[in-house]
Amino acid sequence: MKKKEKIDNIRNIGIIAHIDAGKTTVTERVLYYTGRSHKIGEVHDGEAVMDWMVDEQERGITITSAVTTCQWNGKDIQIIDTPGHVDFTIEVERSLRVLDGAVGVFCAVGGVEPQSETVWRQADRYKVPKIAFINKLDRIGADFFNTVKMMRERLKAKPLILQIPVGVEDQFSGVVDLVRMQQIQWDDDTLGASYSTGEIDADLQDDAKMHREQLLETLAEVDDDIMEAYLAEAPIETETILAAIRKATVDLELVPVLCGSALKNKGIQPLLDAIVRFLPSPGDVVATKGVHPDTGETILCLPDEKAPLAALIFKVSMIEGRKLSYVRVYSGKLTAGTDVYNPSRKQKEKLSRILKMHANKRERVDMVGPGSIVGVVGLKASSTGESLCQQDHPVLLETMDFYEPVISVAVEPKTHSDQEKLQQVLEKFMAEDPTLRVREDEDTGQTILSGMGELHLEVITSRMQREFNTQVNVGKPQVVYRETIESTSDGNAVFDKEVAGHRHYAEISLRLEPLPRGEGNRFESRLEEAALTPELIKAVEKGVMESLESGSLMGYPVVDVKAVLTAAAAKESNGTELAFTVAASMAVREALAGGGAFLLDPIMAVEVIVPEDFMGEVIGDLNARGGKIEAIEPKAGVQMIKVTVPLAKMFGYSTSLRSATQGRGTFSMQFSRFDRS
């Protein structure tokens, strides 16, 4: 029973949001009020505990998700502070994969911004229960209720307002708690560490009653006990309301909404109360499922120390050149100094040390149980997305999807000693970041780095120089295109060669057909069953798919193509898998050459926020860049332009926008699709 209680006391949460919504500032206050840190670190001073990398401190943004643990009301809260910039979305993705709950932070001025939508949908995909914290209510233009409305419209969420603000903008001074019907005010002299509760101001009484009524109505829709009491107009106990909110949150039916201003030290303690009250423990969520690597049968990984081990590596970090793997334990226990089994690689690994993390500081522990998120030293071969288990109880947990890079730069070492180090350094970065790709350009001999955006690649090259003392020259960013075909085209090939004393023969005819955008590549055989064995058809498919990885125009991957095998022939005993794979590849090459191949640009979804006076100039510039305006929405004193633009035309846009709007325009950009520009 004691172990069960221990699991019930854990909360694994992530802080997710758009860039500059205040995630790290919220996390810093959480660490201060829970006693984990003894001073408040500010992002704008470069002193935030969670932004410990030099690049993060210089740029004032979070680049890598940092893990820490703190205590509140007898509960252990394990927090992952995630980046908000679109270039580092993979950090959010892999964090959400292992979390039980999330706090979405929204700026009361900007509302629900594009990257907020992206991370919210990622959380929805992993079925992560959420709480919303509407931050920056002290800022000019703050609008609490408009942000709640945007949550309904943009996120299709069902917000449950638990607090309303007392005053807005420079008048913001506290919040009204609608569950207990009391007003909370913070003491500025103690940096918000002490606060008082009391009667609701007379001018807020009517508003508070109306919103409490709405709170009970919303809860009545999802909870039968509250529905009965509400219809009978009977008093409802506070504990009954809190229990109903918790159940609705864990069941993903409602999203509790709280508010405050983290920078002004207001609203954080009620947020901590909400985290421990409403977000689930590892024992409350549906048990994780895995599959047996050999039989494919489903295995339930129960959050129990006595169960067989099931853990997932969700991140690998190279700190000072040493490999640190971040692991979430789902069932069983991890013990330092023991062997674990990696079913993906079919090999044993030794856990030399287990570390409880606090940003880049760590504390050694001997053993951890289910629900724990820890750093592990000693895993040599294992990488992101792979499972750890016992060899006699193998289990593969669901892995993660990684994004395709959209932008490349050429890097070349400055000196001979840098040349020797470059390859090793890049291998370390690729082990750490699954969205980073490296290849050698055969024509120029240059090393090509591909990533998620300009900032992503800037940070990688900056870290090369800082952390590994590897000096490189960096070329201009290049867009990573895709290729496809315009029309149906046929290809024929005969492969007839003697290899290693054995004759290999295959004859292939196939047709390539264009598919609608976003459909991917498909293979289909229209041969009669007796024409080829299933193994040879598989060999043809392999040859086709490998050949589509490099197009005929500029060598980019070919997408949205259907390959149809129309005819095939083999000479008895000479029809080998090798022959059919090579013949298929040759036939695809011929068909691509005759199919009217063309390039597909990465198209970006861009949102530009500009004061009304500069609209004409900004729209003119976007049109000149080949942008397609999709919507213009008025917001408080500004206009928001939604537009899709080819990535190739967006280099240097931030400078153009600043000069066109006297520094008052802002924009955010994320990948939308590959399409013809």
Side-chain angles (χ1 to χ4, degrees):
M1 187 65 194
K2 201 168 176 196
K3 296 290 182 204
K4 175 75 176 121
E5 281 170 11
K6 197 175 173 193
I7 286 175
D8 285 346
N9 286 339
I10 295 174
R11 298 289 180 274
N12 288 323
I13 65 151
I15 311 281
I16 60 172
H18 187 86
I19 191 167
D20 212 24
K23 295 177 305 302
T24 302
T25 307
V26 168
T27 311
E28 292 299 318
R29 268 56 182 181
V30 164
L31 296 179
Y32 179 67
Y33 299 136
T34 56
R36 183 76 222 219
S37 57
H38 301 295
K39 78 186 246 305
I40 294 175
E42 298 294 8
V43 176
H44 50 262
D45 295 334
E47 291 180 354
V49 174
M50 302 301 273
D51 287 353
W52 56 270
M53 282 170 63
V54 178
D55 279 290
E56 293 178 313
Q57 291 164 355
E58 280 186 359
R59 297 166 197 269
I61 61 167
T62 302
I63 290 168
T64 179
S65 45
V67 182
T68 190
T69 309
C70 56
Q71 279 78 33
W72 185 257
N73 291 351
K75 303 283 191 282
D76 286 343
I77 305 175
Q78 298 187 113
I79 303 172
I80 300 184
D81 175 31
T82 64
H85 197 286
V86 66
D87 284 15
F88 308 105
T89 304
I90 185 62
E91 290 286 335
V92 188
E93 179 86 20
R94 53 188 176 185
S95 301
L96 287 170
R97 169 68 183 82
V98 297
L99 292 169
D100 303 320
V103 176
V105 179
F106 298 97
C107 169
V109 182
V112 177
E113 294 167 287
Q115 187 63 6
S116 303
E117 287 186 60
T118 305
V119 295
W120 196 269
R121 299 224 154 81
Q122 286 171 312
D124 282 343
R125 189 162 74 247
Y126 289 119
K127 297 186 166 50
V128 176
K130 296 170 284 291
I131 286 175
F133 180 72
I134 297 176
N135 191 27
K136 302 194 178 184
L137 280 164
D138 59 306
R139 291 267 299 275
I140 291 168
D143 190 335
F144 173 76
F145 294 106
N146 183 54
T147 306
V148 174
K149 182 172 165 235
M150 288 174 81
M151 283 177 66
R152 282 196 190 93
E153 291 170 357
R154 287 200 173 189
L155 305 177
K156 304 293 179 265
K158 205 163 177 193
L160 180 71
I161 297 174
L162 303 187
Q163 298 173 346
I164 56 171
V166 177
V168 285
E169 299 182 351
D170 58 348
Q171 300 299 307
F172 174 68
S173 62
V175 301
V176 173
D177 178 347
L178 299 173
V179 177
R180 294 178 182 80
M181 286 303 275
Q182 57 190 18
Q183 191 164 318
I184 307 174
Q185 302 285 143
W186 276 267
D187 180 2
D188 290 335
D189 295 336
T190 63
L191 291 176
S194 60
Y195 56 96
S196 57
T197 56
E199 287 286 311
I200 299 169
D201 289 349
D203 59 335
L204 287 170
Q205 288 276 358
D206 289 346
D207 260 5
K209 281 174 186 160
M210 177 187 80
H211 286 293
R212 179 177 165 92
E213 194 71 13
Q214 287 176 0
L215 165 77
L216 294 174
E217 268 178 36
T218 309
L219 277 177
E221 290 170 18
V222 297
D223 188 281
D224 293 342
D225 293 343
I226 289 189
M227 169 72 86
E228 281 176 32
Y230 183 72
L231 292 175
E233 296 184 8
I236 305 171
E237 294 291 322
T238 299
E239 285 306 316
T240 309
I241 295 173
L242 293 172
I245 296 170
R246 177 179 174 79
K247 185 176 184 305
T249 307
V250 173
D251 293 347
L252 304 172
E253 292 182 297
L254 299 174
V255 178
V257 179
L258 298 96
C259 59
S261 165
L263 191 63
K264 293 288 163 46
N265 310 311
K266 294 175 171 66
I268 301 299
Q269 293 93 335
L271 174 63
L272 279 162
D273 289 339
I275 287 167
V276 300
R277 268 187 186 282
F278 306 138
L279 290 178
S281 74
D284 293 324
V285 291
V286 178
T288 298
K289 287 178 183 162
V291 294
H292 192 290
D294 301 324
T295 64
E297 69 172 299
T298 302
I299 298 169
L300 210 57
C301 304
L302 298 169
D304 184 350
E305 250 184 44
K306 295 194 176 81
L309 172 67
L312 183 78
I313 302 167
F314 67 94
K315 174 179 161 130
V316 170
S317 182
M318 293 289 179
I319 298 174
E320 295 158 5
R322 297 193 64 189
K323 185 173 177 180
L324 176 70
S325 305
Y326 288 83
V327 173
R328 158 75 195 253
V329 183
Y330 286 98
S331 69
K333 57 188 179 187
L334 280 180
T335 309
T338 59
D339 286 343
V340 288
Y341 182 66
N342 180 331
S344 308
R345 297 178 184 266
K346 296 196 170 356
Q347 70 183 76
K348 278 185 179 181
E349 293 260 48
K350 193 169 194 70
L351 296 179
S352 53
R353 280 184 291 162
I354 300 173
L355 307 164
K356 280 264 188 199
M357 304 301 295
H358 177 48
N360 63 332
K361 298 182 178 67
R362 52 202 86 152
E363 169 197 336
R364 284 181 75 158
V365 289
D366 294 328
M367 189 272 287
V368 289
S372 300
I373 294 176
V374 289
V376 167
V377 179
L379 302 179
K380 289 188 170 65
S382 303
S383 66
T384 303
E386 293 179 355
S387 308
L388 299 176
C389 57
Q390 296 165 336
Q391 194 162 1
D392 52 349
H393 289 95
V395 59
L396 270 173
L397 298 171
E398 182 195 354
T399 185
M400 294 177 241
D401 295 326
F402 300 126
Y403 300 88
E404 287 299 312
V406 293
I407 192 166
S408 296
V409 290
V411 293
E412 52 188 36
K414 285 189 176 176
T415 67
H416 184 64
S417 67
D418 292 326
Q419 169 81 54
E420 290 171 354
K421 283 192 286 185
L422 183 62
Q423 205 52 44
Q424 295 172 321
V425 170
L426 290 175
E427 277 171 18
K428 285 177 177 170
F429 280 129
M430 284 197 294
E432 185 175 304
D433 185 348
T435 58
L436 183 72
R437 306 285 161 82
V438 177
R439 67 179 174 85
E440 290 293 321
D441 188 308
E442 289 174 17
D443 298 329
T444 63
Q446 287 176 309
T447 300
I448 308 294
L449 282 189
S450 303
M452 300 303 294
E454 284 182 275
L455 181 62
H456 184 201
L457 296 176
E458 250 179 61
V459 167
I460 292 291
T461 50
S462 162
R463 286 183 62 200
M464 264 186 216
Q465 292 164 14
R466 264 190 227 279
E467 294 175 30
F468 297 97
N469 199 23
T470 306
Q471 305 301 316
V472 290
N473 294 318
V474 182
K476 279 191 173 172
Q478 299 290 316
V479 176
V480 178
Y481 295 93
R482 294 288 182 270
E483 297 183 18
T484 192
I485 54 170
E486 203 155 30
S487 56
T488 299
S489 174
D490 292 316
N492 306 292
V494 176
F495 182 80
D496 185 5
K497 270 204 178 129
E498 191 170 305
V499 180
H502 183 73
R503 195 100 195 138
H504 296 265
Y505 182 87
E507 202 173 321
I508 290 275
S509 293
L510 54 76
R511 178 178 302 126
L512 293 185
E513 300 170 1
L515 290 174
R517 295 289 77 82
E519 288 286 312
N521 294 333
R522 288 192 222 142
F523 174 79
E524 185 185 308
S525 170
R526 292 194 186 150
L527 301 183
E528 291 177 12
E529 271 188 37
L532 280 189
T533 64
E535 289 75 23
L536 293 179
I537 289 176
K538 266 265 180 285
V540 172
E541 184 176 358
K542 182 180 175 224
V544 167
M545 292 307 178
E546 283 177 358
S547 193
L548 291 176
E549 285 172 14
S550 174
S552 56
L553 277 181
M554 295 171 72
Y556 292 111
V558 179
V559 295
D560 304 333
V561 165
K562 181 179 181 181
V564 181
L565 179 59
T566 52
K571 286 182 179 170
E572 208 171 310
S573 80
N574 291 339
T576 61
E577 290 182 26
L578 170 69
F580 277 95
T581 300
V582 177
S585 185
M586 290 160 64
V588 167
R589 289 264 149 249
E590 185 182 303
L592 283 174
F598 63 93
L599 287 180
L600 294 173
D601 282 75
I603 305 293
M604 310 305 281
V606 182
E607 288 197 358
V608 189
I609 295 175
V610 289
E612 213 151 310
D613 305 355
F614 305 106
M615 281 278 287
E617 201 172 334
V618 170
I619 288 176
D621 182 36
L622 288 168
N623 286 335
R625 292 171 186 269
K628 293 188 175 70
I629 309 287
E630 300 197 330
I632 298 174
E633 296 174 7
K635 295 183 80 173
V638 293
Q639 297 282 342
M640 181 165 70
I641 307 164
K642 291 187 174 184
V643 57
T644 55
V645 193
L647 174 63
K649 304 286 177 63
M650 286 301 285
F651 292 129
Y653 183 64
S654 54
T655 309
S656 303
L657 182 64
R658 272 201 296 272
S659 60
T661 61
Q662 297 170 10
R664 291 166 64 195
T666 60
F667 82 103
S668 60
M669 175 170 83
Q670 58 191 26
F671 175 72
S672 170
R673 64 188 186 278
F674 281 101
D675 211 339
R676 215 166 190 166
S677 61

